[in-house]
Amino acid sequence: MEETPYTCRQTLKTPAPISCLAEGSSDHFFAGSDDGSVRVYNQETLKVVKAIRGLGEVSSVVCMSHNAGGLGDIWVACNRHALRFTMNTEKMILAKADATLTLELGADDDDMLNELSLNQKNSQLAFCLDSGTVGVVDLSTKQVSRMKTSHDNICGTVKFIPDRPSELVSGGYDSRLLHHDFHQRTVLSRFDLGMSPLSESSGVSMSPPFILSSAMSPCGILAAGTADGRVWIGTGGEKMSGVSSGTSIKKKRRKWEGLKQDEAFTADVGHGPITALTFIEPRTLFTSTLMGKVTLHEIGSPTADGKLDISPKWMRETTDVNKVNAIIAIGDLIIIGGLSERGGGMIEVWERGLKSGDV
């Protein structure tokens, strides 16, 4: 396994567990907590520069990209609502009443929002719910569209597909991946990880392959993390940027083909649930288990017999985050959030190329 020197630069403590992380603009990142707060950290100083309080349990934060400078606008998922906040304000601490827009998306108080996702143009907001429902909000009209096909259990993750203006993919505790056309509200393709056999090395798993997390590569590769310690990789929708030796550019298909079984594989990457993953390059991603085993993987090109595989390049255990809920990559930083051993909130900030003497 190759050495890629990521060193823990700093550990940040919060009163309540960190539930989600998001990259912001202008060298900031956001951390949502179970106690209804969102903190905005400066990447350089790692100090809190702004916060939102009193929201209810925060499950997801997404930032609207912009080029105007400042923190811009964010969307926060808490309980059954999605709230929009303008962060370019002199206020240091914002409250629920400062939301510029509130959308009630859950059917009732038990139908919690799990993840939000923004498309590349910031014009559509996708959401998924405990009821298994997947939906999209058109941000220009505020019209909410719910997909005709839901998951049979909790839907925990939803992602837009790059360069596909009407397509998204969702993953649920029913072990299914559903690929939707959100304009037509129809399912274009699906894959059931419950039907995918365990590898010989994994033996008997005590957990079903609930889909807990997902990440979408900018080139259209999908990665999904499961409760039984596996990562599922779908390369069928990969968009090739050029010709490499021995391979030709894939023609752009009428629809994304990322769930095609003959261009997908599963790999055992950790003992325990894969609660978080993130791409740092088109074919390079980090995965984290619930207990903090963080691994950097490279997705290989198909071998001569067409076999696809993923190889670990580097691994490290978290030291202060006892249970991992989220991981994001920003430049040379890897930021990991979750619970401390005592049940509070904890964030570890790792930096690439940082020598221990530099800390």
Side-chain angles (χ1 to χ4, degrees):
M1 199 179 283
E2 297 172 19
E3 271 296 303
T4 305
Y6 280 88
T7 305
C8 187
R9 176 174 139 193
Q10 197 167 326
T11 296
L12 310 170
K13 295 180 182 178
T14 59
I18 299 297
S19 52
C20 56
L21 296 166
E23 179 180 0
S25 52
S26 305
D27 299 321
H28 292 81
F29 68 91
F30 292 76
S33 288
D34 287 355
D35 64 354
S37 63
V38 176
R39 289 173 175 79
V40 188
Y41 290 90
N42 180 292
Q43 278 173 225
E44 293 299 317
T45 64
L46 298 180
K47 302 289 187 187
V48 176
V49 297
K50 203 176 283 283
I52 310 171
R53 288 182 181 165
L55 298 180
E57 191 170 328
V58 174
S59 55
S60 185
V61 176
V62 287
C63 304
M64 300 188 77
S65 57
H66 64 96
N67 300 313
L71 295 171
D73 283 17
I74 67 168
W75 283 92
V76 181
C78 58
N79 299 331
R80 60 194 286 202
H81 297 97
L83 297 91
R84 181 172 178 167
F85 290 91
T86 296
M87 302 304 289
N88 290 343
T89 170
E90 292 181 3
K91 274 190 176 182
M92 292 292 291
I93 298 174
L94 287 78
K96 198 171 187 175
D98 293 306
T100 58
L101 185 63
T102 300
L103 301 173
E104 187 177 286
L105 298 173
D108 54 43
D109 287 342
D110 294 324
D111 195 14
M112 299 291 190
L113 269 174
N114 290 313
E115 188 170 83
L116 300 175
S117 182
L118 277 165
N119 67 345
Q120 288 163 300
K121 294 181 178 178
N122 287 332
S123 60
Q124 308 276 352
L125 179 74
F127 62 91
C128 58
L129 295 158
D130 274 1
S131 59
T133 296
V134 181
V136 173
V137 182
D138 183 320
L139 295 180
S140 61
T141 64
K142 312 302 181 288
Q143 183 176 348
V144 179
S145 301
R146 296 171 195 274
M147 301 305 104
K148 293 175 183 175
T149 302
S150 299
H151 289 270
D152 296 336
N153 205 320
I154 292 168
C155 180
T157 183
V158 62
K159 298 289 189 292
F160 285 99
I161 298 166
D163 301 318
R164 299 285 182 172
S166 64
E167 297 176 46
L168 55 79
V169 63
S170 58
Y173 285 26
D174 56 359
S175 305
R176 290 194 180 112
L177 291 163
L178 297 178
H179 167 212
H180 309 264
D181 179 324
F182 60 83
H183 287 154
Q184 302 295 325
R185 301 193 298 126
T186 54
V187 168
L188 298 172
S189 61
R190 65 182 77 206
F191 186 78
D192 189 343
L193 270 73
M195 307 302 288
S196 179
L198 287 167
S199 70
E200 293 175 11
S201 63
S202 65
V204 177
S205 171
M206 301 303 289
S207 302
F210 297 156
I211 297 166
L212 302 179
S213 54
S214 73
M216 182 67 75
S217 163
C219 67
I221 295 176
L222 176 66
T226 68
D228 62 355
R230 291 185 290 168
V231 64
W232 181 92
I233 304 287
T235 66
E238 183 178 19
K239 179 186 60 167
M240 308 298 275
S241 58
V243 179
S244 58
S245 57
T247 63
S248 59
I249 300 174
K250 291 184 181 180
K251 289 181 182 176
K252 184 168 180 178
R253 306 293 184 188
R254 187 177 58 82
K255 61 184 178 66
W256 182 72
E257 296 184 342
L259 302 188
K260 279 182 70 175
Q261 194 166 351
D262 60 352
E263 294 187 64
F265 63 96
T266 56
D268 300 308
V269 298
H271 297 288
I274 308 301
T275 53
L277 26 78
T278 187
F279 279 93
I280 60 168
E281 291 175 17
R283 280 180 160 255
T284 309
L285 77 155
F286 273 100
T287 63
S288 178
T289 65
L290 176 65
M291 303 308 286
K293 177 188 173 187
V294 178
T295 310
L296 179 68
H297 307 270
E298 190 76 37
I299 300 168
S301 297
T303 56
D305 61 359
K307 190 174 183 296
L308 295 156
D309 205 358
I310 186 172
S311 55
K313 296 297 180 184
W314 183 82
M315 194 277 288
R316 180 186 173 129
E317 304 265 355
T318 55
T319 52
D320 296 294
V321 178
N322 197 244
K323 291 183 178 177
V324 174
N325 285 330
I327 183 170
I328 57 170
I330 309 175
D332 286 333
L333 300 182
I334 296 295
I335 302 165
I336 303 156
L339 287 75
S340 67
E341 193 172 3
R342 294 185 175 183
M346 192 70 73
I347 298 170
E348 290 185 29
V349 180
W350 297 1
E351 188 164 3
R352 180 163 48 193
L354 185 71
K355 295 182 177 67
S356 57
D358 296 341
V359 178

